[in-house]
Amino acid sequence: MHRRRISHLFSQSQVTVLAVACLCLVFGACSAPETSALPEQPNVLFIVVDDLNVALGTYHDYPTAKTPNIDRFASQGVQFDRAYAQDPVCNPSRTSFLSGRRPATTNVYGNFVEPRTHLGDVVMLPEYFDEHGYFTARVGKVAHGRYEAAVRWDISENAALREHYLPGVDHSEVRDNTWIEGSDDGLSRAEILGHLDRPTGMPLSWRATDETEAETPDGQTTRRVIELLRENRDKPFFIAAGFHKPHQPWVAPKEFFQQHPVSEVALPDEPSDDTADIPAPALGNYPEDKDHSEEQVSQAIAAYHATVTLMDVQVGLLMEALAELELESSTIVVFVSDHGFHLGEHGGLWRKHTQFEESTRVPLIVRIPGGVSGRTTSALVELVDLYPSLADLCGLPSPEGMEGISFRPVLEDPDVPWKSAIFSEAQRRGAHGRSVRTARYRFTEWTPLEGDGDPQFELYDLDSDPKEYDNLAGDPEHQPTMDRLAAVLRSGWKAALPGASDGGGDLYSAAGDQSE
């Protein structure tokens, strides 16, 4: 084990982390390595949630969030306040963190590209654990749904599906606009899209049903995962639970809707001219989104929170099962979303795809047996870091080809100096958006996918403008900051690793910044 650990520490992607560790030893700035008490082959329970922004009580961004189980779990581990997806779309994001490669390498920017199109026989995250003696299993959505077979597991099962995409029962306070002729019998995806006369792109939709929590697809996923935990408790395992909610449609038992009454919803309070200075590629919705009344918008937000609370129950059941099966002291638990989600911000944006905070920022909570607990870190981390981090924590040799680094040092000392920037990107509306986010600023460059048109820019000072209302890109006073951030974007992720930054001056300054 020690030989493997030494080999790992001196891998190419970890040299800067070693440098940080050495500085800590010299100056006494870091706490003792809390994760050293891990067993030689700890288990991993990997909880992946679909379309979840930071609408959790423990993040305090959404006052009406009701997530007591996840909040309790966060109090037992380390909560990352600045974790970001590399592309805020399901397939690109999941391909990235499962392969440990960034979108520029995977060349997956949409939901209809097979993950291995450009990666070939790259070893994916669970496959790496399988190669090192772990039992691997996933239930629910871990890779993008239609491409689950692209990732090899010992057991690979999909969540049970409802008879209809939208059930024929709705006890919500306000009905959505998909309630059309035939709705009482339930509606399929094809029927809804046929009504809209387009092949993809589901409208905002919700249903408060008569089903029980256990009957929902996520409820069934939870119970199957618990079976797998019980059956494989005596061997090292990497088991993933992939929850579909709060992905659309927002369907949940009516009891969860009742916990989120429409009257409690606060609509985004934004400047009337917020979108005036935002480049066109950064915006855009489906045409029918604008047809919702204010009451329907409130109900849509409430429905989102209702499905988050449904998912929270599943996390609680999994944590109870770990305790009951006496697996808490041997199991690393990771809770993460594939990307964020808009709930009407910036003039009525819904879904993801943008480079705003609501779309790229994700919840990430990690609980290590015997490790640091009840701490929050402002260290900048990326989902592409998950693969090398889990390999590191489990004492495995450093995987080859990683384009992220292990954040184990952050788990051991949440205040350790860390990355100076994170990177994300997306292709939409005929443009490629590339974004760099430091502790203080977000800078995004939108370039045309075809032709030689001029790029368009976004620059936000998140110290003074955390909601990204004021695009500073056209202000000559901020041109020097633009130039410096453009240079950071061009330098790429390696130049932003711990120890690689020049300090950045006001580029990186912020309350609680971890990059100076």
Side-chain angles (χ1 to χ4, degrees):
M1 176 181 176
H2 295 297
R3 187 178 299 112
R4 289 188 304 181
R5 182 63 52 79
I6 291 170
S7 171
H8 172 59
L9 285 173
F10 282 91
S11 66
Q12 181 177 1
S13 65
Q14 297 297 322
V15 170
T16 54
V17 177
L18 179 61
V20 171
C22 291
L23 287 172
C24 290
L25 288 173
V26 172
F27 296 106
C30 300
S31 61
E34 297 287 344
T35 60
S36 60
L38 279 168
E40 184 169 349
Q41 285 188 302
N43 306 312
V44 177
L45 177 59
F46 191 53
I47 303 172
V48 186
V49 188
D50 205 352
D51 279 16
L52 177 65
N53 57 29
V54 290
L56 306 172
T58 187
Y59 277 85
H60 308 296
D61 286 65
Y62 294 84
T64 58
K66 294 182 175 68
T67 54
N69 296 294
I70 296 171
D71 300 349
R72 187 180 308 112
F73 170 65
S75 73
Q76 301 165 351
V78 175
Q79 173 180 314
F80 291 80
D81 270 1
R82 293 175 178 167
Y84 291 86
Q86 274 47 78
D87 188 315
V89 182
C90 295
N91 190 35
S93 178
R94 291 165 186 262
T95 299
S96 176
F97 69 68
L98 287 171
S99 68
R101 275 80 171 171
R102 295 171 186 267
T105 297
T106 68
N107 203 21
V108 174
Y109 289 101
N111 283 336
F112 297 91
V113 180
E114 205 275 344
R116 292 189 182 275
T117 300
H118 303 281
L119 290 177
D121 59 358
V122 158
V123 179
M124 298 290 193
L125 173 58
E127 298 166 354
Y128 191 72
F129 274 76
D130 178 75
E131 288 182 354
H132 290 85
Y134 277 72
F135 166 78
T136 63
R138 69 95 192 167
V139 184
K141 184 177 179 181
V142 180
H144 187 51
R146 60 174 54 88
Y147 300 124
E148 292 286 5
V151 182
R152 187 184 71 255
W153 307 76
D154 292 324
I155 292 179
S156 183
E157 298 178 358
N158 292 317
L161 297 177
R162 290 183 175 88
E163 180 181 0
H164 298 291
Y165 182 80
L166 285 175
V169 174
D170 182 23
H171 296 291
S172 66
E173 296 178 66
V174 185
R175 281 185 170 172
D176 66 32
N177 290 333
T178 67
W179 198 267
I180 55 178
E181 184 177 353
S183 293
D184 290 337
D185 298 321
L187 296 172
S188 67
R189 288 177 62 97
E191 288 172 324
I192 299 167
L193 290 170
H195 178 70
L196 296 170
D197 194 29
R198 63 176 183 243
T200 62
M202 298 305 298
L204 302 182
S205 51
W206 57 86
R207 297 287 189 273
T209 69
D210 289 320
E211 64 191 339
T212 66
E213 168 272 318
E215 292 172 330
T216 65
D218 282 346
Q220 295 183 52
T221 290
T222 297
R223 285 149 179 85
R224 177 57 177 143
V225 168
I226 291 173
E227 285 181 2
L228 291 170
L229 292 170
R230 181 176 293 110
E231 294 168 359
N232 298 278
R233 58 185 296 189
D234 297 325
K235 65 185 77 167
F237 62 72
F238 185 109
I239 296 178
F243 293 127
H244 283 265
K245 297 306 171 211
H247 194 287
Q248 283 203 86
W250 298 313
V251 179
K254 59 187 176 185
E255 65 186 87
F256 293 96
F257 276 71
Q258 290 165 355
Q259 294 181 54
H260 295 275
V262 170
S263 60
E264 291 185 1
V265 172
L267 299 179
D269 182 16
E270 302 180 323
S272 58
D273 61 348
D274 174 38
T275 62
D277 57 5
I278 299 176
L283 299 171
N285 268 323
Y286 293 127
E288 73 279 357
D289 287 348
K290 66 181 185 302
D291 297 334
H292 293 87
S293 67
E294 189 170 296
E295 263 197 325
Q296 285 178 311
V297 170
S298 296
Q299 178 66 88
I301 296 171
Y304 180 88
H305 287 298
T307 57
V308 172
T309 300
L310 169 63
M311 180 273 301
D312 175 77
V313 170
Q314 311 313 314
V315 174
L317 292 171
L318 290 176
M319 296 307 102
E320 290 174 8
L322 287 179
E324 178 188 336
L325 296 170
E326 299 181 344
L327 289 168
E328 286 182 309
S329 63
S330 60
T331 305
I332 297 166
V333 183
V334 175
F335 175 90
V336 70
S337 173
D338 56 352
H339 47 69
F341 198 88
H342 280 288
L343 294 174
E345 302 88 5
H346 298 294
L349 283 179
W350 294 92
R351 306 171 189 86
K352 46 266 188 176
H353 301 94
T354 77
Q355 291 298 298
F356 291 115
E357 286 283 292
E358 293 90 356
S359 184
T360 58
R361 184 181 173 214
V362 299
L364 172 62
I365 306 168
V366 181
R367 188 178 78 183
I368 304 295
V372 172
S373 63
R375 291 292 306 277
T376 295
T377 179
S378 57
L380 290 163
V381 298
E382 303 169 279
L383 294 192
V384 75
D385 298 330
L386 286 169
Y387 191 157
S389 299
L390 288 170
D392 185 5
L393 288 165
C394 292
L396 306 183
S398 182
E400 296 181 359
M402 295 293 97
E403 295 178 349
I405 63 168
S406 170
F407 50 65
R408 180 173 183 162
V410 181
L411 293 171
E412 295 172 347
D413 177 8
D415 297 321
V416 68
W418 206 238
K419 294 182 181 182
S420 60
I422 62 90
F423 302 84
S424 58
E425 55 186 304
Q427 293 183 0
R428 67 191 310 263
R429 306 195 73 190
H432 193 146
R434 296 176 177 86
S435 187
V436 58
R437 205 278 200 204
T438 69
R440 179 170 181 177
Y441 291 102
R442 176 180 292 280
F443 170 75
T444 304
E445 176 183 279
W446 295 94
T447 56
L449 287 171
E450 297 181 1
D452 55 359
D454 293 332
Q456 299 180 74
F457 303 100
E458 295 176 85
L459 173 66
Y460 303 101
D461 184 341
L462 297 165
D463 270 7
S464 59
D465 181 26
K467 295 293 185 181
E468 300 170 299
Y469 294 145
D470 187 10
N471 183 7
L472 304 173
D475 187 341
E477 179 184 345
H478 292 90
Q479 190 60 48
T481 300
M482 288 262 295
D483 293 341
R484 295 168 68 193
L485 284 164
V488 173
L489 186 62
R490 297 287 179 269
S491 297
W493 64 275
K494 290 183 180 179
L497 294 179
S501 171
D502 63 0
D506 65 349
L507 198 63
Y508 303 117
S509 64
D513 182 23
Q514 299 298 304
S515 58
E516 293 185 335

